[in-house]
Amino acid sequence: MGEGSAARGGKGATPGRRAVVVGGGLALLGGAIALGESLSGSPARQPRTPGDLDYAGARWVAASEANYRIADRPADYPVELVVVHVTQADYATTVRLFEDPRHAAASHYVVRQSGQVTQMIRELDVAFHAGNRWYNEHSVGIEHEGFVTRPQDFTDAMYAASARLTADVCHRYGIPVDRRHIVGHAEVPGTDHTDPGRHWDWPRYLELVRAAREAACSRKV
């Protein structure tokens, strides 16, 4: 993780602040921008087509451009981690918040309880999801529909679909499938969030990710 480690949890980290008024109430999700994180993009060098997907199994719904920073990863920032989130909201609310420029945060992907995967930010770009600038720049963020207090929200379909997605990300960027490189939002230095929580089955999840990665590699041989 090199010299960037000084930024992880130290300078550039700030507690999560992803809040926006929805229907007269305050809705909170699990991420947020880091101190000094720019809310405006810079010109991209890599060609892009609106609606392009990085993961073939996803559907595309664009997040607000205020909720991420244009980049050219991995050319400018190597992608070294996957950060696992839980939305603390239903799918429709999560998507609506990520589309809202006032929200100031979003993840690259949202996985529904049904197993449907939605991509909202290109992996080229830096999503404001982890509450730590270094982690934002070097990770892919994956949200999971549900609540940390409800183990029933983490369905078999969700685990399987998320594992295939994470395996694909790890394969493309050469990320090891282990708990040093696939982390929960609660483990990001400087965050005040608890997701994915004690009900998230890490041994099961990593086993599914490894199996999905091995299956994908065998098909490509």
Side-chain angles (χ1 to χ4, degrees):
M1 310 239 174
E3 295 179 0
S5 61
R8 290 176 285 167
K11 290 184 179 179
T14 189
R17 40 184 296 277
R18 278 166 59 180
V20 67
V21 175
V22 176
L26 190 64
L28 295 170
L29 287 184
I33 61 172
L35 186 65
E37 185 76 84
S38 169
L39 292 179
S40 61
S42 58
R45 293 180 297 277
Q46 298 190 41
R48 299 154 190 258
T49 301
D52 273 357
L53 295 167
D54 295 298
Y55 179 62
R59 66 187 291 254
W60 175 260
V61 178
S64 168
E65 292 182 3
N67 297 334
Y68 65 92
R69 172 158 48 89
I70 296 292
D72 284 297
R73 303 190 313 167
D76 45 8
Y77 306 109
V79 178
E80 305 176 49
L81 301 160
V82 173
V83 179
V84 173
H85 301 263
V86 172
T87 62
Q88 293 296 99
D90 61 24
Y91 172 78
T93 300
T94 301
V95 170
R96 187 164 68 249
L97 289 172
F98 289 175
E99 291 176 314
D100 190 332
R102 299 169 297 168
H103 191 53
S107 287
H108 295 93
Y109 294 97
V110 182
V111 182
R112 301 186 73 170
Q113 292 172 5
S114 66
Q116 176 192 306
V117 177
T118 299
Q119 182 168 7
M120 301 194 69
I121 299 171
R122 289 293 307 276
E123 292 173 15
L124 291 165
D125 298 327
V126 176
F128 303 155
H129 67 96
N132 178 301
R133 182 168 184 146
W134 191 95
Y135 274 75
N136 284 345
E137 290 172 344
H138 294 83
S139 69
V140 169
I142 303 176
E143 291 276 3
H144 297 83
E145 178 188 20
F147 295 83
V148 297
T149 57
R150 293 167 51 92
Q152 65 270 30
D153 287 352
F154 306 142
T155 64
D156 292 344
M158 173 185 283
Y159 273 120
S162 178
R164 289 191 295 269
L165 169 59
T166 295
D168 187 72
V169 171
C170 289
H171 175 73
R172 287 186 282 109
Y173 295 105
I175 301 172
V177 179
D178 59 38
R179 288 286 283 114
R180 289 187 58 206
H181 298 87
I182 303 173
V183 303
H185 189 190
E187 298 167 83
V188 174
T191 187
D192 63 352
H193 292 272
T194 62
D195 56 310
R198 64 188 179 90
H199 297 300
W200 184 260
D201 192 338
W202 281 109
R204 175 188 181 186
Y205 187 62
L206 289 182
E207 182 178 350
L208 288 169
V209 174
R210 292 189 186 105
R213 184 168 179 176
E214 289 172 5
C217 289
S218 66
R219 287 195 298 269
K220 293 174 182 178
V221 172

